[in-house]
């Protein structure tokens, strides 16, 4: 990242206490990390972005002589123990990332006697990981009793789970209200980068938005209208836009209840002079299946019995041109079903354009982050966010609960 693209402090980071404010030597530090990694059916970690992103904060604390206890969630076990959602495999991967032992509590109660025994024996510069926070029903409800038990594990708290910062959960908000609380390196980095896009983006600024549901993106789209110079829309959500423009969309997914909102949004964008790029052509198939026969058709000529599963090559070229000409790009949401090779070309084209762009390039977490890593291009963009939902909420202009609690006063 060149100096001209460096994120700037201030704005969403105003008043946030950071590791620079924490003397961690000899202290018991509880770190809320984001280790919610995807697992294969046989329990293997398929993408360790979040593990690697958590390492700098943990390494800093360990080198400072802290006794570090890490807490995190994995999946949605529903408030009770689930062997398939254990953080055991994550402890092994985290140990590899840090180059030292990570002692895993394996305590299904999360904060029980076994967890206390493991963490109480830590020496300065040693680290332990608690079992999945969501094994306990008090995590998601921010139960005061669970907060009190969790707070036992530290006399200082570091919030580094940006991907969970929009959740008012016990480990994100409750404990931070009980202990002296600071933002970790990942949290600061995410707020710097996304804050730059929110407050002072280089121009021209292009937002590329895809994914399944337009209803998930309307808030950020509305908030971006006064900031961006162009919007490019792909993924299944583009068919709601095409329907709003009066086009037939065949058997493609359309959110009928969002058509009027999309029509108003597009009109508002054009009134502001924002270019709205919609697909010119799409890749369709007769069914939602990896082995379905793909065909490319014009966006206004979708057959009734075909569904769109990717943007077409002309559209991909147009979006790539917009990205190459931008000084800043924010990408959130794939252009199609990128997990299936016949329908991955549009998403790959966007990823390649971001990787080759000279501008300030940010990938907004979730499936977009998975896609650019799948294509091996993640190190060629300025920032890959670890928080899809949190990134979108921040760019909607909303305060994140897990950030507000880290501010002075």
């Amino acid at each position: 990242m060149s100096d001209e693209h460096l994120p700037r402090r201030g704005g969403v980071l105003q008043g946030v206490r950071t590791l620079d404010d924490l003397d961690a030597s000899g202290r018991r530090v509880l770190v809320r990390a984001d280790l919610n990694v995807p697992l294969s059916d046989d329990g293997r970690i398929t993408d360790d972005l979040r593990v690697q992103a958590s390492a700098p904060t943990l390494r800093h604390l360990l080198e400072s002589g802290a006794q570090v206890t890490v807490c995190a969630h994995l999946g949605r076990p529903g408030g009770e123990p689930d062997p398939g959602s254990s953080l055991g495999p994550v402890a092994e991967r985290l140990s590899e990332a840090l180059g030292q032992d990570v002692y895993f509590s394996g305590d299904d109660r999360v904060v029980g006697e076994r967890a206390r025994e493991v963490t109480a024996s830590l020496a300065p510069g040693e680290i332990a990981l608690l079992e999945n926070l969501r094994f306990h029903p008090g995590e998601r409800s921010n139960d005061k009793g669970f907060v009190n038990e969790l707070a036992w594990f530290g006399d200082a708290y570091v919030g580094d789970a940006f991907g969970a910062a929009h959740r008012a959960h016990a480990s994100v908000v409750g404990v931070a209200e009980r202990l002296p609380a600071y933002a970790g390196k990942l949290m600061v980095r995410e707020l710097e980068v996304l804050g730059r896009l929110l407050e002072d983006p280089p121009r021209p600024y292009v937002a590329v938005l895809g994914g399944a549901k337009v209803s998930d993106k309307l808030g950020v789209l509305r908030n971006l209208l006064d900031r961006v110079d162009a919007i490019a829309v792909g993924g299944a959500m583009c068919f709601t836009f095409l329907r709003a423009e009066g086009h037939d969309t065949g058997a493609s997914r359309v959110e009928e209840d969002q058509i009027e909102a999309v029509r108003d949004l597009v009109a508002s964008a054009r009134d502001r002079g924002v270019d709205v790029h919609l697909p010119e052509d799409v890749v369709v198939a007769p069914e939602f299946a990896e082995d379905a026969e793909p065909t490319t058709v014009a966006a206004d000529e979708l057959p009734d019995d075909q569904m769109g599963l990717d943007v077409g090559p002309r559209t991909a070229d147009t979006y790539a041109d917009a990205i190459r000409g931008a000084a800043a790009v924010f990408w959130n949401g794939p252009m199609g079903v990128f997990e299936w090779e016949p329908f991955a070309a549009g998403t790959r084209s966007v990823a390649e354009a971001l990787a080759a762009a000279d501008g300030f390039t940010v990938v907004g977490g979730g499936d977009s982050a998975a896609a650019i890593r799948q294509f091996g291009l993640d190190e060629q963009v300025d920032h890959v966010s670890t928080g899809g939902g949190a990134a979108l909420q921040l760019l909607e202009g909303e305060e994140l609960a897990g950030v507000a609690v880290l501010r002075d006063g």
Side-chain angles (χ1 to χ4, degrees), residues 88-100:
V90 178
E92 295 179 11
R93 184 63 61 88
L94 186 59
S95 178
E96 294 171 4
L98 295 173
Q100 70 177 80

Side-chain angles (χ1 to χ4, degrees), residues 264-333:
D264 291 343
L265 178 85
V266 171
S268 182
R270 289 171 176 159
D271 286 345
R272 287 171 165 84
V274 176
D275 291 331
V276 179
H277 297 293
L278 299 179
E280 306 165 53
D281 56 347
V282 294
V283 179
V284 299
E287 58 182 334
F288 188 80
E290 185 173 4
D291 59 355
E293 185 67 28
T295 306
T296 301
V297 301
D300 57 357
E301 296 179 1
L302 268 74
D304 290 343
D305 61 348
Q306 301 278 313
M307 63 178 65
L309 298 180
D310 193 14
V311 298
R314 279 188 296 142
T315 302
D317 287 345
T318 298
Y319 290 9
D321 285 344
I323 290 167
R324 282 191 288 268
V329 185
F330 173 70
W331 174 34
N332 182 278

Side-chain angles (χ1 to χ4, degrees), residues 1-2 4-6 196-197 200-207 227-230 320-330 354 357-362 382:
M1 184 189 298
S2 65
E4 65 182 303
H5 292 148
L6 283 174
R196 179 80 188 278
L197 292 181
D200 186 26
R203 309 297 289 266
Y205 174 20
V206 175
R227 295 170 172 82
V228 299
D229 299 284
D321 285 344
I323 290 167
R324 282 191 288 268
V329 185
F330 173 70
L354 259 78
D358 293 328
F360 180 50
T361 50
V362 179
D382 288 305

Side-chain angles (χ1 to χ4, degrees), residues 87-141:
L87 282 170
V90 178
E92 295 179 11
R93 184 63 61 88
L94 186 59
S95 178
E96 294 171 4
L98 295 173
Q100 70 177 80
D101 289 335
V102 174
Y103 301 103
F104 179 54
S105 76
D107 189 336
D108 285 351
R109 191 177 171 276
V110 184
V111 291
E113 183 176 344
R114 191 164 20 151
R116 291 192 174 211
E117 289 175 354
V118 169
T119 58
S121 65
L122 292 175
E126 291 187 334
I127 181 172
L129 174 65
L130 302 181
E131 184 53 283
N132 191 337
L133 287 162
R134 292 188 181 175
F135 282 7
H136 197 294
E139 163 63 1
R140 300 188 72 170
S141 65

Side-chain angles (χ1 to χ4, degrees), residues 1-3 5-10 12-13 16-19 53-54 56-57 159-162 183-197 360-363 378-387 391 394 403 406:
M1 184 189 298
S2 65
D3 288 347
H5 292 148
L6 283 174
R8 301 170 185 174
R9 288 291 181 97
V12 295
L13 264 171
V16 172
R17 299 178 296 271
T18 71
L19 294 182
S54 297
T57 289
D160 209 33
F162 177 73
K185 289 178 178 290
L186 173 60
M187 182 74 78
V188 169
R189 169 71 174 167
E190 295 273 15
L191 295 176
E192 283 180 334
V193 171
L194 295 169
R196 179 80 188 278
L197 292 181
F360 180 50
T361 50
V362 179
V363 180
D378 51 301
E379 294 189 1
Q380 297 179 47
V381 297
D382 288 305
H383 184 68
V384 179
S385 179
T386 56
L394 186 68
V403 175
L406 303 176

Side-chain angles (χ1 to χ4, degrees), residues 163-238:
H166 57 317
R167 310 291 189 192
H169 293 172
S171 65
V172 176
V173 172
V175 178
E177 293 174 336
R178 283 285 315 277
L179 300 175
Y182 308 85
K185 289 178 178 290
L186 173 60
M187 182 74 78
V188 169
R189 169 71 174 167
E190 295 273 15
L191 295 176
E192 283 180 334
V193 171
L194 295 169
R196 179 80 188 278
L197 292 181
L198 187 65
E199 298 149 6
D200 186 26
R203 309 297 289 266
Y205 174 20
V206 175
V208 182
L209 298 175
K213 297 174 67 177
V214 68
S215 53
D216 291 340
K217 305 283 169 62
L218 275 178
V220 70
L221 278 164
R222 291 189 181 106
N223 203 44
L224 286 173
L225 288 187
D226 290 326
R227 295 170 172 82
V228 299
D229 299 284
I231 295 169
V233 181
M237 63 183 271
C238 78

